[in-house]
Amino acid sequence: MLHILLLILKWIGIVLAVFLLLVLLLINLGLFVPVRYRADASCQNDIETLEAEFELSWMWKLFFLTACWKKGKADMKIRIGWKYLFSEEKEGKSEEKIEVPEEKEENDLQKEKEEQKFLKEQKESLPPEKTNRSLPENNVQEQAEKRECHQEKTESGIDKEEEEKESFTADRRKAGGRKKKPLWDRMKEKISEWIERCKSFWRKILAMGRNFRGKKEQIESFLTDASHRRAFCSLKREVRRFLGHVSPKDVKIVGKIGLEDPYMTGQALAVLGMLFPFLGENTVIVPDFENKVLEGSVHIEGKIHNFRMLAILWRLIKDRDVRKIIIDIKKLKW
């Protein structure tokens, strides 16, 4: 008996150990397997030639998201495991041919003709005494009469709809044919509406200013508090870490830009020059000071480690000053 209990406990321990190992494996995979993202775009001097694609994958593409823009159409796919959330099979089914009602009516008429021929042959083959008996021909005639009545009803309904549409268009034409107000009166109305909107906007700004003046001391004390300042510094530091971690590691930009006006082209290059330290060494932009040009391609690739995101979140939660500023913000009465 004791031997059996020990054997059961042994197998229970093995099962628990395997379960714990699986849980630890999943936790490690979730923490240390990064989320990868990639973006590609290209343009050939025309908006119609613009093509863009974005991919987001995790756990070796076990979770996969892709979005693309090609030929003026957007498309998105989400895959979890081996199953697409937006399956293409439904789209294929929706594109299947649907029988047109006219074709159905033609098929029904052909069937009726075939049935009538069959009944005539049966009549001719039967003796004259049996021909007077009821045959399914009467049912066929009744069905044909019913179909004719149904067609007449549908045609009458269509005629009514057409009459309603014609009356509606006639009313619209009459309304459009009425004389419009003079241009000066319409301008006066628009100007008066615009003035009223400006007045209401100004009243809102004045009300906000009064509220701000009444709570000026409260806001100043909130901003000048030593613990709040320390919380702002720690938040600023963690945001920098977050942006540095999320920023792409591989950036390649090759393009040609021109705005016809040399001054505007120089201004655009000056703005792009400010971004060169963040874009990296693989950025090549050729200016064109004479023509209007926008050509090139962009490739961005990077990854996000989940354990670093959790570390940033843990540092913020652990910080006493951050917890205090969250509580104080909730207590403020705006």
Side-chain angles (χ1 to χ4, degrees):
M1 188 69 183
L2 183 62
H3 179 68
I4 295 168
L5 288 173
L6 291 173
L7 186 64
I8 292 168
L9 290 172
K10 177 184 174 182
W11 282 108
I12 290 169
I14 291 167
V15 170
L16 288 173
V18 171
F19 179 73
L20 288 173
L21 286 172
L22 288 172
V23 170
L24 289 172
L25 179 64
L26 291 173
I27 290 169
N28 288 324
L29 288 173
L31 289 175
F32 296 103
V33 175
V35 177
R36 299 180 183 275
Y37 63 89
R38 183 178 65 84
D40 292 308
S42 63
C43 183
Q44 299 296 328
N45 204 20
D46 193 358
I47 296 173
E48 294 179 355
T49 61
L50 177 64
E51 294 183 358
E53 186 177 1
F54 177 76
E55 288 184 3
L56 188 71
S57 61
W58 184 51
M59 204 80 74
W60 301 287
K61 293 190 177 181
L62 189 64
F63 300 92
F64 184 72
L65 181 145
T66 178
C68 64
W69 176 272
K70 288 182 180 180
K71 296 180 181 179
K73 293 182 180 179
D75 187 19
M76 186 178 72
K77 292 180 182 178
I78 300 171
R79 190 184 70 196
I80 299 173
W82 292 268
K83 187 175 182 181
Y84 284 95
L85 294 183
F86 303 101
S87 61
E88 298 177 356
E89 294 177 0
K90 293 181 180 179
E91 296 177 358
K93 287 180 181 179
S94 63
E95 292 177 357
E96 287 179 357
K97 292 183 179 179
I98 300 168
E99 290 185 1
V100 184
E102 293 179 357
E103 294 178 358
K104 288 183 178 179
E105 290 178 359
E106 291 177 358
N107 294 328
D108 294 335
L109 291 170
Q110 287 179 359
K111 287 179 181 178
E112 286 177 5
K113 289 178 180 178
E114 290 176 358
E115 288 177 357
Q116 288 176 0
K117 286 181 181 179
F118 179 71
L119 290 169
K120 285 179 181 179
E121 290 175 356
Q122 281 187 346
K123 269 187 175 184
E124 291 174 356
S125 63
L126 288 170
E129 294 177 357
K130 293 183 180 180
T131 53
N132 295 324
R133 293 180 184 179
S134 61
L135 290 169
E137 185 179 3
N138 297 324
N139 296 329
V140 175
Q141 290 177 357
E142 289 176 0
Q143 288 178 1
E145 289 176 357
K146 286 181 182 179
R147 283 172 186 162
E148 287 177 358
C149 293
H150 181 68
Q151 286 178 358
E152 289 176 357
K153 288 180 182 179
T154 52
E155 287 174 358
S156 63
I158 292 164
D159 294 335
K160 287 180 182 178
E161 289 179 358
E162 289 178 354
E163 289 176 359
E164 290 177 356
K165 286 179 181 179
E166 287 176 358
S167 62
F168 180 71
T169 52
D171 294 334
R172 287 185 68 183
R173 285 174 184 173
K174 287 178 182 178
R178 292 173 186 171
K179 291 182 179 179
K180 293 182 180 179
K181 292 182 180 180
L183 181 63
W184 179 248
D185 293 337
R186 283 183 286 162
M187 287 176 68
K188 277 184 179 178
E189 289 178 358
K190 288 183 179 180
I191 290 165
S192 61
E193 288 177 1
W194 184 74
I195 290 167
E196 289 296 327
R197 288 177 184 174
C198 292
K199 284 181 180 178
S200 62
F201 182 69
W202 182 248
R203 289 192 201 102
K204 288 179 182 179
I205 289 171
L206 291 174
M208 289 172 66
R210 291 191 199 100
N211 293 330
F212 184 75
R213 286 176 186 174
K215 296 175 181 178
K216 185 178 179 181
E217 295 179 357
Q218 185 182 1
I219 293 166
E220 283 182 355
S221 64
F222 180 82
L223 294 174
T224 55
D225 190 8
S227 63
H228 293 169
R229 284 187 175 181
R230 290 194 297 270
F232 284 130
C233 290
S234 60
L235 284 168
K236 187 178 178 181
R237 184 173 60 252
E238 297 302 330
V239 167
R240 282 182 178 175
R241 286 178 180 173
F242 173 77
L243 294 174
H245 174 60
V246 173
S247 60
K249 302 299 183 287
D250 185 11
V251 179
K252 293 179 182 178
I253 300 173
V254 179
K256 187 177 181 181
I257 186 170
L259 302 174
E260 289 183 344
D261 187 2
Y263 175 75
M264 296 298 293
T265 306
Q267 292 291 324
L269 288 173
V271 173
L272 291 172
M274 295 169 65
L275 300 174
F276 279 161
F278 304 100
L279 297 175
E281 299 177 354
N282 297 321
T283 303
V284 179
I285 296 174
V286 179
D288 190 343
F289 293 98
E290 295 179 357
N291 302 316
K292 189 175 181 180
V293 182
L294 181 61
E295 297 178 358
S297 61
V298 180
H299 174 77
I300 297 170
E301 192 171 349
K303 55 186 177 180
I304 303 168
H305 290 281
N306 297 324
F307 71 92
R308 291 188 179 178
M309 299 291 104
L310 287 174
I312 291 168
L313 185 63
W314 173 249
R315 282 194 293 269
L316 290 173
I317 294 168
K318 192 176 68 173
D319 195 341
R320 187 182 295 174
D321 297 326
V322 174
R323 294 201 304 270
K324 186 176 181 299
I325 197 172
I326 292 168
I327 294 166
D328 293 341
I329 288 168
K330 288 180 180 179
K331 288 180 179 178
L332 281 175
K333 293 180 180 179
W334 301 95

